[in-house]
Amino acid sequence: MENLVVLTGAGISAESGIKTFREMGGLWEEYDVMEVASPQAWEKNPELVMRFYNERRKKLLEALPNEGHRGLVELEKYFNVQIVTQNVDDLHERAGSKNILHLHGELKKARSTSDSNLIYEIDGWELKLGDTCEKGSQLRPHIVWFGETVPKISEAAIICEKADIMVVIGTSLNVYPAAGLLDYAPHGTPIYLIDPNDVGTKNNNITFIKEKAGTGVQQLFNILKEKYSFND
Ligand code: OAD
């Protein structure tokens, strides 16, 4: 089976009611990213940072996977699908996708501030100041903040190097190193980009599917079905 690597961003979860970041009405219009999603913010005002992520977690618990997430699960019948997501939600997991790499962390997890290997599931929506790891250190959201390194980027690059087909869904490709992952796909790899808006990218070989994720993944399915001659 061909390796189909899918890079997803906030847009794939938009139809589930999760806000994107950079659009009108997006999260970074409402909040200053450096005030809620940076190590400096955690240092200066941990209450605000906790509140921001608790709020996001509450919303996530009410959300459900959409057609876009589910369509990617369907593709597993015909391709070896690997998802590399910038999203911190668990909607790919809940839709049933098997191979998911979270580049920017996971909202439903907390990790120790003294030992980054100590990672825990958060029960419910709330993480509090005073919640500690087994060594007694404060827990923080398991999120890659601005200015922090992206520990899984090498793993993601290796996945992209093995891609036969790349799919990009719902990301403005503004944030590096994630946006640079397309460059790791072997030269000539077909790239399908699903987004209802224009996304600037210098890569060649891109087929744009200018649709929302739900419709776009369905169109992608039909294109691939034709090209790789499989029957659903
Ligand atoms: P952005 O908010 O930058 O981009 C969202 C993209 O989704 C835009 O290109 C939209 O046009 C598109 N979009 C909107 N609705 C859609 C729909 N229904 N279907 C498909 N696409 C849709 O979000 P990201 O590119 O994911 O990092 O942002 C990257 C990172 O920046 C995030 O992971 C986050 C943020 O700061 C951290 O928090 C560490």
Side-chain angles (χ1 to χ4, degrees):
M1 276 207 254
E2 274 92 359
N3 292 330
L4 187 135
V5 178
V6 191
L7 175 65
T8 63
I12 195 168
S13 298
E15 286 162 277
S16 296
I18 308 261
K19 279 191 178 180
T20 59
F21 295 96
R22 292 177 184 77
E23 292 178 278
M24 243 196 330
L27 278 175
W28 295 156
E29 199 176 71
E30 200 177 331
Y31 298 89
D32 177 343
V33 51
M34 294 312 284
E35 296 289 328
V36 292
S38 70
Q40 295 85 334
W42 178 247
E43 186 96 339
K44 195 175 114 195
N45 194 346
E47 291 86 358
L48 177 66
V49 175
M50 284 295 207
R51 211 181 318 134
F52 175 74
Y53 286 104
N54 283 342
E55 210 43 57
R56 307 273 75 71
R57 208 173 294 114
K58 233 188 237 176
K59 293 252 158 58
L60 175 57
L61 292 178
E62 293 161 6
L64 293 171
N66 64 52
E67 283 302 311
H69 300 104
R70 282 195 290 273
L72 295 180
V73 180
E74 192 61 20
L75 283 169
E76 290 185 3
K77 289 187 194 153
Y78 312 101
F79 298 98
N80 179 22
V81 178
Q82 169 71 57
I83 294 172
V84 175
T85 187
Q86 297 167 84
N87 298 345
V88 297
D89 66 49
D90 63 345
L91 296 178
H92 285 303
E93 280 87 349
R94 282 198 263 151
S97 282
K98 281 209 288 278
N99 309 310
I100 306 156
L101 181 145
H102 282 274
L103 271 180
H104 292 163
E106 292 174 75
L107 191 51
K108 284 189 172 173
K109 292 183 180 170
R111 78 163 179 271
S112 167
T113 46
S114 66
D115 180 348
S116 57
N117 293 316
L118 295 177
I119 298 166
Y120 306 87
E121 290 281 339
I122 298 171
D123 194 16
W125 60 271
E126 197 176 19
L127 183 66
K128 295 194 285 287
L129 289 176
D131 289 345
T132 54
C133 72
E134 63 217 52
K135 291 182 177 169
S137 304
Q138 175 63 48
L139 290 175
R140 58 165 272 180
H142 182 45
I143 303 281
V144 176
W145 285 326
F146 277 84
E148 294 187 315
T149 53
V150 179
K152 296 214 172 150
I153 196 69
S154 309
E155 203 182 322
I158 291 168
I159 289 168
C160 293
E161 279 170 358
K162 295 189 188 129
D164 298 305
I165 309 159
M166 287 271 321
V167 177
V168 181
I169 309 175
T171 170
S172 61
L173 295 176
N174 264 305
V175 173
Y176 283 79
L181 283 172
L182 288 186
D183 298 335
Y184 285 88
H187 186 70
T189 305
I191 302 174
Y192 298 91
L193 190 151
I194 301 171
D195 201 298
N197 300 305
D198 290 328
V199 178
T201 158
K202 59 178 169 38
N203 292 78
N204 298 321
N205 244 354
I206 296 194
T207 304
F208 289 93
I209 301 176
K210 211 170 170 193
E211 297 284 354
K212 291 184 176 179
T215 313
V217 172
Q218 188 56 53
Q219 284 189 14
L220 171 75
F221 189 91
N222 292 334
I223 294 170
L224 295 178
K225 186 173 154 187
E226 181 113 320
K227 194 164 165 189
Y228 294 89
S229 314
F230 59 75
N231 292 313
D232 54 321

